Amino acid sequence: MFQYVMESDTGRKRKINEDRVAVLRRPEGLLLALVADGMGGHNAGDVASELTVSTLGRLFIEEAADTFLTVDKRKTWLSVNVQHVNRLVYEYALNHPDCKGMGTTLIAALIDKQDCVMCHIGDSRAYVINGAVEQLTRDHSYVNVLVDSGEISEEEAEAHPKKNWIVKALGTDPEIDGEILHFSLESSSYLLICSDGLSNKVSKSDIASIVLSPVPLSQKGEEMVKLANELGGEDNISFVLLSSKAEEV
């Protein structure tokens, strides 16, 4: 059974935390882990991320158990309900002028034993840590469009002034195509899903060093937040760290 720690810190420069994180567990053991990084409008980023996380969480808990019996059913559930929440956020913004243009990134991971089905939108990230750190998601970002077209290199993208511009967000358009991933987690691995407030500040080597250290899971979470803040803390810092092995929380 997966153990986990969640953190969501405002950081050192922002006044409002526009990130939302959650982990929900159904009676049969299925987990839903969520990270959403809201943006847009006056004070509206937190509205978008809160609406997204709270609605997906409620739908997950209320759903019939046979909805999640197979990988294909879990993929369908994620696709359908992310589309539903996208429309909800989009229409809320249309009906509330102060929320015009709001949206949110999303990582939504359905975890059944060692099997994970994930929906990814924007530049929040997912990593598997098992000795080394493997990035599972690829940012839906302007710089990656430039990389794909051959205009800049991967190295140039890292230092590009428009690195944080995203080209896909939940709630900014009436329809959304979330990227669906499917993978297996090894018995001694960790899954980290996070907002860019963590991934832009803490390197993969530092993430590995902290996550693989022999300290309780909660301390690992605290140390990642502390390091991101020490390195500037310009953004909200949020993540869920899940462990597939038995260890102190």
Side-chain angles (χ1 to χ4, degrees), residues 8-200:
S8 191
D9 188 86
T10 305
R12 289 187 167 178
K13 302 296 174 73
R14 300 287 180 92
K15 293 182 178 179
I16 296 170
N17 190 347
E18 295 184 314
D19 292 354
R20 294 294 184 272
V21 298
V23 178
L24 301 102
R25 193 190 303 269
R26 290 178 54 90
E28 65 271 23
L30 185 70
L31 281 180
L32 174 65
L34 299 163
V35 169
D37 178 358
M39 69 208 77
H42 174 64
N43 210 19
D46 58 328
V47 175
S49 58
E50 175 65 30
L51 192 55
T52 297
V53 167
S54 62
T55 304
L56 280 174
R58 176 179 55 79
L59 293 169
F60 173 71
I61 293 299
E62 292 176 353
E63 196 66 77
D66 59 4
T67 303
F68 303 107
L69 286 178
T70 67
V71 170
D72 283 343
K73 285 189 172 186
R74 293 194 288 277
K75 287 181 178 178
T76 298
W77 186 87
L78 269 181
S79 296
V80 168
N81 286 286
V82 166
Q83 190 66 253
H84 168 73
V85 173
N86 179 79
R87 174 68 67 165
L88 201 66
V89 174
Y90 178 75
E91 291 181 350
Y92 188 98
L94 287 180
N95 294 320
H96 296 79
D98 56 332
C99 294
K100 182 181 178 181
M102 76 175 183
T104 184
T105 70
L106 177 67
I107 297 281
L110 282 172
I111 303 167
D112 181 32
K113 301 180 178 69
Q114 305 303 118
D115 187 90
C116 183
V117 175
M118 179 181 290
C119 182
H120 159 54
I121 298 168
D123 64 354
S124 292
R125 291 183 178 178
Y127 299 94
V128 166
I129 302 108
N130 188 12
V133 179
E134 178 189 359
Q135 185 177 328
L136 301 172
T137 54
R138 190 163 189 264
D139 298 349
H140 299 134
S141 62
Y142 174 69
V143 294
N144 275 343
V145 172
L146 297 181
V147 170
D148 292 342
S149 67
E151 294 180 51
I152 64 172
S153 67
E154 293 274 4
E155 292 73 23
E156 289 171 324
E158 283 301 312
H160 198 281
K162 296 178 181 175
K163 179 186 174 184
N164 293 330
W165 285 22
I166 62 173
V167 295
K168 185 183 286 190
L170 187 147
T172 55
D173 294 292
E175 304 292 330
I176 188 70
D177 228 352
E179 184 177 348
I180 301 294
L181 308 174
H182 177 231
F183 53 92
S184 294
L185 294 160
E186 295 184 23
S187 57
S188 59
S189 61
Y190 296 85
L191 176 64
L192 173 67
I193 62 175
C194 64
S195 66
D196 64 347
L198 181 73
S199 58
N200 280 346

